[in-house]
Amino acid sequence: MSQTHIKARWKGGAGGSGFLQASESFETRVTLPKDFQGLGEAATPENLLLSAVASCYLITFGIILDKAGIAYEGLELEGELRMDMAPRPSVQAITLSSRIVSRASEETLQALSERAEQFCPIGRTLAGNVAKSIRLTVVAPGP
């Protein structure tokens, strides 16, 4: 079994701020987003959730590409998290748009991307509660 530990602190109400330390090399300020009358000046819970899903997918995809012997020059991603504010705020959807520069076939890369989506434990945790989609754009490397 694997375990993860964090330290966090908060001061104030909706307009307050806090601090999150996940390891010696990762710490960040946290606030509520402006949509919740927060400061919106630091990482928000929504930013952290989207970042967790995105980084899990990218890392998993990179591992799967490596194990498959697929060479690539670049792998990057942009993500979006959408919330429904009524009747109670809830995360409705996460969309990841990834881009890979590789000579491998688009069909192979799409299949491996789908496998990464299936194996990412953070994304699987949200299954059934949050709509999730991943779009992969394949770009051939330059000369």
Side-chain angles (χ1 to χ4, degrees):
M1 173 181 267
S2 175
Q3 294 183 341
T4 300
H5 300 275
I6 65 162
K7 291 181 183 178
R9 65 179 182 265
W10 182 263
K11 183 170 181 164
S17 65
F19 180 79
L20 173 73
Q21 181 179 13
S23 69
E24 289 181 14
S25 60
F26 177 74
E27 47 189 52
T28 189
R29 284 187 52 234
V30 291
T31 64
L32 285 173
K34 290 184 178 185
D35 291 349
F36 291 107
Q37 290 75 48
L39 299 174
E41 296 175 348
T44 67
E46 295 79 9
N47 296 144
L48 296 170
L49 177 61
L50 181 57
S51 296
V53 172
S55 60
C56 182
Y57 164 78
L58 276 179
I59 292 166
T60 304
F61 194 20
I63 291 167
I64 288 172
L65 290 166
D66 186 53
K67 288 185 177 187
I70 304 287
Y72 62 96
E73 291 181 14
L75 178 59
E76 55 190 48
L77 176 145
E78 290 187 24
E80 175 183 272
L81 180 145
R82 288 190 313 275
M83 292 190 68
D84 190 353
M85 299 305 281
R88 292 188 316 205
S90 61
V91 176
Q92 294 299 306
I94 290 178
T95 303
L96 303 178
S97 299
S98 58
R99 180 178 181 274
I100 187 168
V101 179
S102 177
R103 295 193 191 284
S105 76
E106 185 167 347
E107 182 179 306
T108 297
L109 293 169
Q110 289 288 353
L112 295 175
S113 172
E114 289 171 17
R115 185 180 294 167
E117 182 178 8
Q118 293 167 357
F119 280 94
C120 166
I122 305 300
R124 280 197 331 264
T125 299
L126 301 176
N129 294 313
V130 175
K132 188 169 47 92
S133 65
I134 298 177
R135 288 183 243 129
L136 179 66
T137 301
V138 178
V139 178

